[in-house]
Amino acid sequence: MVGCVPDVRRALSQSFPMFAALLAAGAIVRIAVALLTTNSQDVALFGYFVAQGAQGHGLYDDPGFSYPPVIGYLWLAAGKLLALFGTPIAVHAARLAPFAVPGLMSAELTTPIASLLIKLPAMIGDCALALVVDRACRRIGASDAARHFAVLAVWLNPLVIFDSAVQASWDCTVPLAIIAAGIAALDGDAAASGAWLAAGALMKIVPISLAPLVAATLLRARTSIGRLALAIASGAVVVAIALVPVAAWGEIPALKDVLAGGSGTGGFGGFNAWAALDSNALASADRWMTIHGSLIATMADVISLAGIIAVALTFVRASNATLERFALAAVATLSIILIAAPYVQPGYVVWIVPLCAILGAHGKPQWN
């Protein structure tokens, strides 16, 4: 399998039409999959939020919406568009009800057009992510073959496609914001780096955890303290603008509740280190964790924060502030977050995939 990688790169370097065809294939596959997959529990929930928009409700009218607002705005707009054309959003498939699996599959099926609109923000995020990976590869001086391979390693990655076109999850916005903020910081562009981190946090909160690393990168780019303040100010402006609708609807308190509820919980599980507690041999430890979950989660947050700061300080002391070193530091930071987090999902691997592709394009094939 490893041996076929040079052959793929050689073919890509010799044929730009092949590269373009594969990009087009990735777009076609996403659209087809988005139209044809529908009974995920997540998509059913997101369809409900779209229906809220069709009925003229605000974003946080229902406590079920537990995300930052930007994707929610797009879903509300999709609901209004579907209502304008009289297109149904979801139908109940009674025959599927006996096969529904709580938290996994639902008997509520979003219609094909509704499914496409629900998943469209995530798929657009995939496009933007592929573009920023291309830009990063150009910056590190990767060959055309290596750059094309890195872009396709993201664009055609089955997990990336599944995350957006099937699950409608927008995890791609995490590496998008991180890589873009890192490039801006290496260029000494404090305003752009702060804006990218803020925009990422308005879609997924995680990018804000990379603020220490981005600040360290700005310092390594010989940015003054005043420029750091500019990064913070530009981020604050982006947040303020994005929250105008929420403020107009009087939902700022609801948003605060959402953000407060996103951390410090005792709900351990998923697919990270805490998944071991699900094994029968550790049943007693699992019971103990249930009782002391909040305390352990707080300790994990402290350990995670210490690790994030340690990575940033290490980057400050690095001999050269390069995009390669930034990508390594970002992988380390995200890994710390994923290991310490009380709960993670498989789609969160999408956070790291593009960074590995960039490192692979830099002449380190083991990252591929």
Side-chain angles (χ1 to χ4, degrees):
M1 190 70 173
V2 174
C4 74
V5 171
D7 294 334
V8 174
R9 284 185 172 177
R10 191 178 304 113
L12 289 173
S13 65
Q14 295 171 351
S15 177
F16 178 80
M18 177 187 290
F19 176 61
L22 290 172
L23 291 177
I28 293 170
V29 167
R30 279 174 168 79
I31 294 171
V33 169
L35 286 167
L36 298 174
T37 56
T38 174
N39 71 327
S40 158
Q41 186 72 43
D42 283 346
V43 176
L45 176 63
F46 300 158
Y48 172 73
F49 299 143
V50 171
Q52 293 286 86
Q55 297 166 13
H57 294 176
L59 194 55
Y60 296 99
D61 279 356
D62 189 283
F65 189 82
S66 56
Y67 309 95
V70 168
I71 299 297
Y73 293 154
L74 299 177
W75 284 341
L76 293 183
K80 295 182 187 303
L81 182 64
L82 291 169
L84 179 64
F85 289 95
T87 304
I89 296 170
V91 294
H92 179 73
R95 292 183 180 180
L96 292 179
F99 306 101
V101 179
L104 185 61
M105 292 184 292
S106 170
E108 300 296 326
L109 306 183
T110 51
T111 59
I113 296 300
S115 293
L116 180 62
L117 289 179
I118 290 168
K119 299 167 183 179
L120 191 58
M123 294 193 294
I124 292 174
D126 284 353
C127 294
L129 178 58
L131 288 171
V132 82
V133 168
D134 181 85
R135 182 184 174 193
C137 291
R138 290 177 185 275
R139 183 186 175 91
I140 63 176
S143 66
D144 287 345
R147 176 169 56 85
H148 292 167
F149 186 84
V151 171
L152 294 176
V154 174
W155 183 241
L156 297 182
N157 189 298
L159 186 55
V160 176
I161 294 174
F162 179 86
D163 194 61
S164 60
V166 177
Q167 292 294 101
S169 297
W170 54 102
D171 295 295
C172 58
T173 60
V174 172
L176 167 63
I178 291 170
I179 297 169
I183 292 174
L186 288 167
D187 290 339
D189 190 343
S193 62
W196 270 111
L197 278 187
L202 287 164
M203 291 179 280
K204 284 271 187 179
I205 299 176
V206 175
I208 203 65
S209 300
L210 277 290
L213 176 58
V214 172
T217 307
L218 284 168
L219 288 174
R220 293 292 288 117
R222 294 181 175 83
T223 301
S224 65
I225 298 299
R227 299 287 288 176
L228 286 176
L230 176 60
I232 296 172
S234 67
V237 169
V238 170
V239 170
I241 293 173
L243 294 185
V244 167
V246 174
W249 297 331
E251 294 183 335
I252 293 295
L255 175 59
K256 290 180 179 178
D257 291 341
V258 165
L259 297 178
S263 61
T265 60
F268 289 81
F271 295 85
N272 59 347
W274 306 106
L277 295 173
D278 291 333
S279 63
N280 292 332
L282 295 177
S284 58
D286 189 33
R287 288 192 294 271
W288 185 88
M289 184 67 76
T290 301
I291 297 172
H292 301 90
S294 295
L295 175 61
I296 300 300
T298 301
M299 292 175 60
D301 284 342
V302 172
I303 293 172
S304 180
L305 179 60
I308 290 169
I309 293 174
V311 171
L313 292 176
T314 301
F315 188 84
V316 168
R317 298 181 61 184
S319 56
N320 293 311
T322 63
L323 184 55
E324 178 199 5
R325 289 182 181 276
F326 178 87
L328 284 168
V331 169
T333 301
L334 291 170
S335 298
I336 291 169
I337 293 171
L338 289 172
I339 291 170
Y343 185 86
V344 296
Q345 297 180 8
Y348 295 171
V349 176
V350 174
W351 301 354
I352 295 179
V353 165
L355 293 161
C356 293
I358 293 169
L359 290 168
H362 193 260
K364 295 179 171 55
Q366 65 270 24
W367 285 96
N368 293 322

